[in-house]
Amino acid sequence: MFSISDSAAKRLLQAALAATGLFVALAGMANVLPSFGNLPRIGPFAIEWFRPLFFFASIVAVILAHLLARQRQGHGRWYVSLGYAALVVLTGWVCYDYYVLGRIMADSIVFFSWRDAAVATLAAAIGIWTCFIVWGAPIAILGLIAFLYLATGQYWPGFLQTVPTSIPELVAQNIWFDADQGILGSILGIVLSTVLPFIILGAILEGCGAGDSMIRISFSLMRKFRGGPAYAAIAASALFGTVSGSAVANVVGTGVVTIPMIRRRGFAPNFAGAVEATASTGGQILPPIMGAAALVMADYVGVSYLTVIIAVLIPAIAYYASLALAVYFEANRLGVEASEDDEAMSVERQDWLNLVLVFAPIGLIVWLLVSGLSPAGASIAAIFLLIPLSFINPEIRRKPVRLVGALARGGTTVAQLVTAIAVVGIVVSTLSATGMPTKFAVLLSSAGETSLLAALAISAAGCIVLGMGMPTLPAYIAIVAIMGPTLQRFGLEPLTSHMFVFFFGVASVITPPVAIAAYAAAAVSGGKPIATAVASSRLGAMIFIIPFAFVYNPILLLVDAAGANVTPVALVLAIGRLVLALYLCTSGLGGFDRTRLGVFERAARLAATVLLLSPVTSWQAAGAAIGLVALAWHLLRAAQPPTPENRSTMKQPEVS
């Protein structure tokens, strides 16, 4: 009778999850709500009670979502529910202990005991376990290793050994009871003050029906092009991704529509999945909203969010241009033709009206950011604009409760993110307490032998490895804590080094072997997961190349904070080299332009790409010369009429 597998228990879990998610969303928004006229502000709330309460609500939401998923799969067991009920009670106890000790610490100095260390250990275990059930093993294992190293580092050998200190003091303060460190520390504070309202805005945008209209319009506009559905997927996923900030959520949300249509146009399953995965991934670097990590970057670096938006503008456009080029070359290679009777959904007047639901909030955010309002204030204003505007959609007028459901889903998404942030808080606190980033920087400096290129290559590899299996925001925070100081030792501006890490943190979701966005796309396309990940890495190759380009050519970031010395002539030349490099690299990796490219032609194009993006003027000139000669040679060869010997090489089918 205690089973949660019956329909009544399912409805109860759904209602409890919706209520908890709604509480998380509304409480989080109230915390950052700006003042209106002479009315007093509601927040920000006191740290000592709000953060533990928010953490408790997030853990409850995650547990309810997990139990509901198990029940739907037929795995509901009363003893599992009982175990999670005990976990909720323990979470409430450690959060209450934080509140009590926080009030004492506000008035007097506290010396932590073994009891406090035990409470902190329990809090860490709760955070790591709930992170595991939401995000999987990689990030949870990373958090477990970090905690064990913090507690036992003084007994490790060699350079890994830390300074001997009081273990209770070390664990209690760095893991749980410090408002600046650990699970409830400054990183969670940034999420609450900056990231949360953007996640809620994305959830409401998705719930008000604007996403479906964007997809229909994109497919309708692109239906006359050879790679129509693929171009439409890029456009729709770019717009959807810049709001959602989650590559996997983007793949699942838009890929179920776009991927089958790409396949029906004649593209292979692996390629179809790769298009959606790479387009969804790029949404996190596309202004004006971008992903949550960009908001955190602005706080970390100490620049305005508008500065981050301007800095990433050229790299983001270049990335999406490379995706469009990759589709163009693949369509030419396969001989895909445009189809007027394609499954492009009929676009109605309401779809065009629904676009207001996308562009009005985004336009308001940009205007408010330019006017000097904080990102949180701009996003809250956009939410207040979007809610009444959503009644443009007749589906919302018929069922306004959809907005409440969207708020609840947004709160659940925030709760899931909080579990990852809890683990990242453990990792970052461990790095700070043990001084590991400084040690790593010294080792990397020695390995790089004062070579910035070697340091960048090692850092890029480290970013991809550390980012595997992690959502972008916690991946970025964990990576920049290690790699950021290292790169700045080589003279990079903080914004440039953070942007470099940010790009590779984003890229990790399409990089084998743990390419979670590519795997999600493969599940929809029916392709092979690893093959889809490899295809995604090839299609999205510019996301790995562009960071090196703006490190050596900071003018591509446009802002003074990146060390850019922007002049009109230098900017035009830099963009021109980047455009040529995009064309050469994308065609070289794809192996096709007007006709099939030979091995020598591909090597020449890729070599020219490297030279074009180098910091040395003579190398740039050499790269331009090689690239232009390669293009001219190819055009001349393609202009010749096909012969029986070369006709078979004009178009090669893809092996899926």
Side-chain angles (χ1 to χ4, degrees):
M1 112 183 129
F2 296 101
S3 173
I4 62 169
S5 59
D6 58 13
S7 59
K10 179 180 175 181
R11 289 195 298 270
L12 182 62
L13 283 172
Q14 289 174 329
L17 177 59
T20 309
L22 194 61
F23 172 81
V24 169
L26 294 177
M29 290 175 60
N31 182 57
V32 295
L33 200 65
S35 60
F36 296 95
N38 296 325
L39 296 176
R41 288 190 63 177
I42 299 177
F45 302 128
I47 290 175
E48 60 265 19
W49 69 264
F50 181 68
R51 288 189 189 176
L53 175 63
F54 195 89
F55 179 75
F56 173 74
S58 298
I59 296 299
V60 171
V62 166
I63 289 174
L64 289 171
H66 182 63
L67 288 174
L68 183 60
R70 288 179 58 89
Q71 193 272 341
R72 285 171 173 167
Q73 296 167 2
H75 298 155
R77 300 291 185 271
W78 69 268
Y79 51 83
V80 174
S81 302
L82 188 62
Y84 277 116
L87 185 62
V88 169
V89 172
L90 289 174
T91 305
W93 177 63
V94 297
C95 289
Y96 180 74
D97 201 70
Y98 178 98
Y99 166 69
V100 171
L101 198 58
R103 295 186 64 183
I104 296 174
M105 291 170 62
D107 299 323
S108 60
I109 298 175
V110 173
F111 296 96
F112 295 104
S113 64
W114 279 102
R115 176 197 175 279
D116 300 323
V119 172
T121 301
L122 180 57
I126 292 169
I128 292 171
W129 173 252
T130 52
C131 180
F132 168 74
I133 65 177
V134 174
W135 302 107
I139 184 173
I141 292 173
L142 180 63
L144 180 61
I145 292 172
F147 177 80
L148 293 175
Y149 182 61
L150 176 69
T152 63
Q154 54 191 304
Y155 305 111
W156 287 45
F159 78 96
L160 293 175
Q161 188 177 46
T162 59
V163 177
T165 186
S166 168
I167 294 178
E169 190 83 18
L170 190 68
V171 172
Q173 181 169 355
N174 287 282
I175 295 298
W176 185 240
F177 290 105
D178 193 331
D180 293 324
Q181 301 287 335
I183 296 173
L184 302 184
S186 57
I187 298 175
L188 178 62
I190 294 174
V191 171
L192 292 176
S193 64
T194 306
V195 176
L196 180 144
F198 278 92
I199 295 177
I200 302 302
L201 173 62
I204 297 175
L205 270 172
E206 183 181 358
C208 70
D212 293 339
S213 294
M214 278 195 304
I215 293 174
R216 281 193 288 269
I217 290 173
S218 298
F219 274 84
S220 178
L221 293 177
M222 299 294 177
R223 69 183 184 276
K224 294 184 179 180
F225 293 91
R226 282 186 168 188
Y231 294 130
I234 292 172
S237 297
L239 287 172
F240 189 93
T242 190
V243 174
S244 73
S246 170
V248 176
N250 198 351
V251 168
V252 175
T254 62
V256 292
V257 177
T258 61
I259 290 175
M261 296 184 73
I262 296 172
R263 287 195 59 185
R264 284 194 287 269
R265 182 58 73 90
F267 294 97
N270 296 334
F271 184 84
V275 169
E276 179 59 45
T278 50
S280 298
T281 298
Q284 299 171 88
I285 61 172
L286 185 67
I289 296 182
M290 305 171 63
L295 297 160
V296 177
M297 185 195 305
D299 274 35
Y300 264 25
V301 179
V303 299
S304 69
Y305 184 52
L306 187 61
T307 299
V308 174
I309 289 175
I310 295 172
V312 81
L313 187 61
I314 291 177
I317 293 174
Y319 174 72
Y320 274 100
S322 72
L323 296 185
L325 282 171
V327 170
Y328 171 78
F329 293 133
E330 185 72 5
N332 285 348
R333 188 172 77 87
L334 297 175
V336 173
E337 299 294 338
S339 175
E340 282 292 340
D341 60 349
D342 199 11
E343 300 85 349
M345 315 150 187
S346 60
V347 178
E348 301 175 355
R349 178 173 173 270
Q350 185 61 48
D351 292 313
W352 294 103
L353 288 176
N354 286 349
L355 287 185
V356 175
L357 304 179
V358 177
F359 293 108
I362 290 177
L364 178 63
I365 287 173
V366 173
W367 179 68
L368 292 176
L369 288 175
V370 172
S371 302
L373 194 65
S374 68
S379 58
I380 291 291
I383 291 172
F384 286 159
L385 173 65
L386 179 59
I387 289 176
L389 274 182
S390 64
F391 286 89
I392 291 175
N393 188 344
E395 294 181 8
I396 300 298
R397 293 198 298 271
R398 285 192 296 268
K399 201 173 183 181
V401 74
R402 286 183 55 174
L403 294 177
V404 178
L407 270 174
R409 287 191 297 274
T412 303
T413 301
V414 172
Q416 292 171 340
L417 179 61
V418 166
T419 63
I421 292 301
V423 171
V424 171
I426 295 172
V427 173
V428 173
S429 293
T430 298
L431 294 173
S432 176
T434 59
M436 186 53 64
T438 302
K439 297 178 182 179
F440 185 82
V442 172
L443 290 175
L444 186 55
S445 298
S446 301
E449 296 179 350
T450 70
S451 168
L452 177 59
L453 179 60
L456 289 172
I458 296 172
S459 297
C463 290
I464 291 173
V465 171
L466 286 176
M468 287 179 179
M470 296 172 65
T472 301
L473 175 58
Y476 160 74
I477 296 172
I479 294 165
V480 84
I482 301 173
M483 307 295 184
T486 300
L487 295 178
Q488 290 173 39
R489 285 171 62 91
F490 285 90
L492 294 188
E493 295 292 334
L495 178 60
T496 306
S497 61
H498 277 247
M499 193 70 75
F500 182 89
V501 169
F502 173 53
F503 264 69
F504 277 97
V506 170
S508 66
V509 299
I510 59 169
T511 309
V514 191
I516 54 176
Y519 292 172
V524 179
S525 70
K528 298 176 181 178
I530 292 294
T532 302
V534 171
S536 299
S537 298
R538 176 176 65 82
L539 268 121
M542 289 308 295
I543 204 170
F544 306 102
I545 297 173
I546 289 172
F548 289 92
F550 63 62
V551 164
Y552 286 112
N553 301 276
I555 193 173
L556 294 173
L557 296 181
L558 296 175
V559 294
D560 295 338
N565 183 19
V566 182
T567 62
V569 174
L571 182 60
V572 169
L573 289 175
I575 293 176
R577 292 194 303 270
L578 181 61
V579 170
L580 181 57
L582 287 177
Y583 192 95
L584 293 171
C585 180
T586 306
S587 57
L589 290 173
F592 200 91
D593 191 343
R594 299 296 181 87
T595 63
R596 183 171 178 269
L597 298 174
V599 174
F600 177 77
E601 285 184 283
R602 296 178 71 174
R605 292 186 180 216
L606 295 177
T609 299
V610 173
L611 294 173
L612 280 165
L613 300 178
S614 72
V616 182
T617 304
S618 58
W619 291 8
Q620 295 170 358
I626 294 172
L628 292 173
V629 169
L631 288 176
W633 169 262
H634 181 75
L635 289 174
L636 289 173
R637 186 167 68 86
Q640 297 176 358
T643 63
E645 289 77 16
N646 65 19
R647 183 178 288 111
S648 62
T649 67
M650 293 293 288
K651 295 179 175 66
Q652 300 292 329
E654 179 175 340
V655 178
S656 55

